[in-house]
Amino acid sequence: MQVTGAKILLECLLEQDVDTVFGYPGGTILNVYDELYSYKDRIRHILTSHEQGAAHAADGYARSTGKVGVCFATSGPGCTNLTTGIATAYMDSSPTVFITCNVPEPLVGRDSFQEVDITGITMPITKSNYLVHHASEMADVVREAFAVAHGGRPGPVLIDMTKNATSELADYEFLPKEKHFTQGRLGDLVRRSSHGLKLPEPDAADVKTLVDMIAESDKPLLICGGGVVRGRANVEFTEFAEKVDAPVAISLMGAGGFKGRNPLTTGMIGMHGTQASNMAVDGCDLLIAVGCRFSDRVALNPETFASQAKIVQIDIDRSEINKNVMTDHHIIGDAKQVLAALNEQLSQQHHDAWKKYVFSFATETEYDEAGDTLTPKQINDAIARICPQDTIVATDVGQHQIWVAQHFHYDYPGQLITSGGFGAMGFGLGAAIGAQVGNPDKTVIHVTGDGSFRMNCNELATEQFYDLPIITIVYNNGVLGMVRQWQTLIYDERYSQTTLDRGPDFVKLAEAYGLAGAHVHTVDELEAALREALASGHGYVVDCAINEDEMVRPMVPGGAGITDFLVC
C-alpha cells in the first residue's frame, strides 16, 4: 500500500509502541503534524513552550520509564534548540529519538530559509544520525534508529528528513517489532554485526578472574555508576555488594542503582563525595566500578586515584575502558548480565574490619541549622517527611542538585533524574514534565535553584495546560550558588556577575501561568506549603529563601587528590 512518508513515520512509531511524543511544530515538519492529527487517539503529543523543553521532557520520560523518549522539531532554529537536550541525553546515555524535518531536497545546500545541517551539528552528540531523502527510506531508518537508541549502551539518535520525504508516496507494510532484527536494512546490519545493537555477552574467563580477585581482597570497594541505573541492574548489584560484603560508593548518575538506606552505602563519591566514600577509595586494595566511566567529577586526579588498589571496570561500552583511569582488569558487558554471572560464582565474603574502618568516617554532611533562615538540610528533611518515599526527583544543575543527591535516599532506577555529564542548567522542569507524563500515578518534584529556574520557567505553561501536578521547589539564595562557592573558596571572594539581585517573584510568576505557589521562610511554612501542594493535585511552586553563603560540603577542588577536601 502506498502512503505518504509522514504516515509511514507515524505507523513506524506505533510499531515501536510509542504512544507519547514531545515537540514543537514548524514549517518543514507540517506534513508530519498534519498526519499526526489523524493519530491523536493513538499518539499523544505534548506541546512544550520551547524545543529545548521538549528535548529534556523526552529525556526525562526515557530515564523514568526505561522506554525510548521521542521528540519532534522543525528545521533550522527548531532543531538547533534541541542540541542542549541531545548533548545531555548523550552524556548520560539516555535512550531518545529526535525527529526533525529539513527543507525540501531541491533547496538543500542553498542556505534556504531555516535550513541547517543538523546531522553535521549533532554528529558528535548522537549515537547515530540519519538524513532521510525519500519516503521509501523512512521505515528502514526509523526501525534502525530505535534499535540503535535502545541497543547496547543507550543514547540519543537523530532522524532528519527532507520535507519532500514526508509528502512523497511510498510502499509501506506493517512489520511486527520482533521481526525488525531479521528483515530489511536492520536485519542486514544485525547479520553483519555492523552496530552494537545487541548486548555483549560477558566473557566467562574475565568473570572468573574477577571472582578470584575478590577472594584475594581484604579491602574491596564498589562504585555504583549510571550503567547500573540504565541497565536496571539494581537487584543484581545489591546481591553482588552483599556477597562481596564491600562498602558501596555511589556516583551522581548511579543514584537509585543501590538503595541509599542500605547499610553498605557510603554515599556519593568524588568532588562532593562523603568522607567515607573518598577515604575508602584512597585506602582500598580492590576497586570495582560498575557502569562508571570515571569522569573528572569522580576521579579528580587519575594519577593518584585509588593508588593502592587494583582497579576493575565493568562497562557495556568498550571505548570507556582505560579512557580516564587505567584499569588492571575489565569486563565488557551489560551490568545486569555481568553481575548475574558474578553472583553465580561468588561465595559469601566477609570484611568486617575494613567496613569498620570505612564507616568510621562520615557518610553524610552535618549542616549548621542554628541560623535564622531555612537550610538545605531542613528543606530536604521536610520534603522527605511530607512526600512519598517513591517520589521522582528531577533537578536542575547547581548546589541544589548536589544537596538532593547527597541527602535523599533513592530506592530504584529512574527516581533521581539529573543532568550529570553535561550539567545543563534548565534541564529540570522539562525533565520533570517528561517524568510526570510517563509516571502519572507517582509524585514528581522539580528541585531547582533561582538561577536554573530562570532558564526553563516558561515550561510552567506546559505544566499548567496538561494539568501535571509537579511541585517545583526553588532553593532561592539570590545568587548563582555553586559559582559563588567557587568564588568564595578559590577566587578570593570576587563575586563577579553571580548576584541575582532582581526578579522575578517566582510565586507571582507561577500565578501568571495559572498555578499556585508560596514563599516560605521557616520549616513550618514549608511543610504547610508542601501539604497544600500535594492536596491540590495541581502544579505548585514553593519558593524557599536560603542564605546566599550556604555551601555544598564536602568539596574537593578539580584535579586534586580525592581526600584533599577544601571544605568538609
Side-chain angles (χ1 to χ4, degrees):
M1 180 176 64
Q2 285 218 320
V3 296
T4 65
K7 189 173 182 66
I8 295 173
L9 168 66
L10 297 177
E11 287 292 333
C12 287
L13 293 185
L14 292 177
E15 287 179 4
Q16 301 290 338
D17 302 321
V18 171
D19 57 12
T20 303
V21 172
F22 303 88
Y24 203 96
T28 63
I29 200 170
L30 268 179
N31 291 329
V32 173
Y33 272 87
D34 182 65
E35 192 63 46
L36 183 65
Y37 193 80
S38 304
Y39 284 74
K40 57 187 176 184
D41 59 336
R42 287 172 286 173
I43 299 178
R44 184 187 188 192
H45 181 275
I46 304 295
L47 176 63
T48 57
S49 299
H50 191 284
E51 289 91 350
Q52 185 175 334
H56 293 323
D59 189 344
Y61 179 90
R63 297 189 200 211
S64 63
T65 63
K67 302 176 185 175
V68 175
V70 182
C71 180
F72 286 171
T74 193
S75 63
C79 54
T80 56
N81 281 341
L82 297 180
T83 53
T84 296
I86 297 173
T88 302
Y90 182 76
M91 292 290 278
D92 293 343
S93 305
S94 179
T96 39
V97 172
F98 296 90
I99 297 170
T100 60
C101 278
N102 218 316
V103 298
E105 183 81 12
L107 298 181
V108 171
R110 296 174 181 271
D111 292 337
S112 305
F113 177 67
Q114 292 193 333
E115 181 195 3
V116 74
D117 177 11
I118 192 61
T119 51
I121 290 171
T122 58
M123 188 173 293
I125 54 172
T126 52
K127 282 187 72 176
S128 186
N129 63 25
Y130 308 84
L131 176 57
V132 178
H133 297 270
H134 298 290
S136 58
E137 307 161 9
M138 192 75 75
D140 265 350
V141 167
V142 175
R143 290 163 186 162
E144 181 180 328
F146 274 80
V148 172
H150 201 258
R153 178 180 181 172
V157 173
L158 180 131
I159 304 171
D160 193 30
M161 52 191 71
T162 58
K163 187 171 183 177
N164 54 283
T166 64
S167 59
E168 290 172 356
L169 296 176
D171 289 327
Y172 167 75
E173 184 175 349
F174 171 77
L175 190 63
K177 193 175 179 181
E178 59 270 20
K179 293 186 177 180
H180 291 179
F181 286 84
T182 58
Q183 298 186 26
R185 175 185 159 95
L186 182 55
D188 290 340
L189 291 171
V190 170
R191 281 189 288 275
R192 295 170 183 165
S193 300
S194 298
H195 284 67
L197 298 171
K198 291 185 177 179
L199 299 178
E201 291 287 335
D203 185 277
D206 290 340
V207 172
K208 177 65 168 57
T209 297
L210 180 53
V211 170
D212 292 342
M213 293 173 75
I214 292 169
E216 294 170 1
S217 171
D218 294 320
K219 297 185 289 185
L221 174 69
L222 309 184
I223 299 178
C224 177
V228 178
V229 173
R230 290 289 170 274
R232 291 334 196 222
N234 47 315
V235 173
E236 290 78 7
F237 186 91
T238 300
E239 181 181 348
F240 180 64
E242 292 177 346
K243 275 193 168 181
V244 180
D245 193 34
V248 176
I250 301 175
S251 74
L252 178 62
M253 300 312 300
F258 190 64
K259 287 191 176 183
R261 295 180 195 275
N262 189 298
L264 291 174
T265 304
T266 60
M268 273 187 65
I269 183 176
M271 178 173 284
H272 299 296
T274 66
Q275 292 184 43
S277 291
N278 289 9
M279 294 301 291
V281 171
D282 206 45
C284 66
D285 64 5
L286 177 65
L287 176 64
I288 304 172
V290 184
C292 172
R293 58 189 174 86
F294 296 119
S295 79
D296 60 325
R297 288 299 189 267
V298 170
L300 298 106
N301 182 346
E303 298 299 320
T304 61
F305 183 77
S307 58
Q308 301 182 55
K310 291 181 179 177
I311 299 178
V312 178
Q313 189 172 7
I314 298 172
D315 205 288
I316 196 170
D317 186 351
R318 184 179 298 275
S319 68
E320 290 295 344
I321 305 299
N322 298 331
K323 185 172 80 176
N324 295 323
V325 168
M326 295 301 293
T327 61
D328 297 279
H329 181 58
H330 62 261
I331 302 177
I332 307 298
D334 167 63
K336 196 178 189 75
Q337 291 184 355
V338 174
L339 292 169
L342 286 164
N343 289 335
E344 280 186 8
Q345 298 191 33
L346 265 177
S347 58
Q348 182 64 50
Q349 309 291 305
H350 299 282
H351 299 104
D352 292 341
W354 166 236
K355 288 190 298 181
K356 184 176 180 181
Y357 167 77
V358 172
F359 287 101
S360 69
F361 298 99
T363 57
E364 289 196 16
T365 304
E366 295 295 328
Y367 284 91
D368 181 11
E369 299 181 58
D372 55 2
T373 59
L374 277 170
T375 67
K377 184 176 188 306
Q378 289 173 332
I379 298 172
N380 292 341
D381 288 348
I383 295 170
R385 281 196 300 274
I386 305 296
C387 295
Q389 174 59 34
D390 66 347
T391 293
I392 295 175
V393 180
T395 84
D396 273 302
V397 171
Q399 288 179 311
H400 63 277
Q401 175 191 32
I402 304 301
W403 284 323
V404 298
Q406 286 178 331
H407 296 289
F408 283 177
H409 299 288
Y410 301 98
D411 288 342
Y412 61 89
Q415 189 174 8
L416 173 63
I417 300 172
T418 193
S419 175
F422 201 51
M425 294 173 69
F427 171 77
L429 186 51
I433 287 170
Q436 187 71 81
V437 169
N439 302 269
D441 297 329
K442 285 194 173 178
T443 298
V444 175
I445 63 172
H446 162 223
V447 176
T448 185
D450 49 317
S452 282
F453 194 32
R454 282 177 169 80
M455 293 191 177
N456 69 346
C457 57
N458 55 353
E459 296 302 343
L460 288 174
T462 311
E463 177 184 335
Q464 188 278 333
F465 180 80
Y466 293 100
D467 198 14
L468 302 172
I470 297 164
I471 303 173
T472 289
I473 298 166
V474 187
Y475 289 62
N476 191 344
N477 53 9
V479 296
L480 293 173
M482 189 64 91
V483 187
R484 180 185 171 91
Q485 177 168 335
W486 282 60
Q487 290 173 329
T488 300
L489 296 172
I490 301 173
Y491 289 90
D492 199 25
E493 300 184 9
R494 291 160 60 85
Y495 300 119
S496 179
Q497 301 299 315
T498 50
T499 301
L500 302 176
D501 50 355
R502 62 206 71 181
D505 179 321
F506 290 118
V507 174
K508 289 183 178 177
L509 182 71
E511 291 169 353
Y513 280 109
L515 301 173
H519 296 290
V520 300
H521 300 83
T522 67
V523 172
D524 288 344
E525 290 175 354
L526 172 59
E527 289 187 349
L530 288 173
R531 288 194 175 93
E532 180 176 295
L534 287 168
S536 75
H538 304 292
Y540 199 99
V541 174
V542 184
D543 183 18
C544 306
I546 64 172
N547 189 287
E548 64 183 8
D549 289 318
E550 286 285 359
M551 286 196 184
V552 171
R553 294 186 287 117
M555 176 180 171
V556 179
I562 197 163
T563 58
D564 295 335
F565 294 103
L566 197 58
V567 291
C568 287

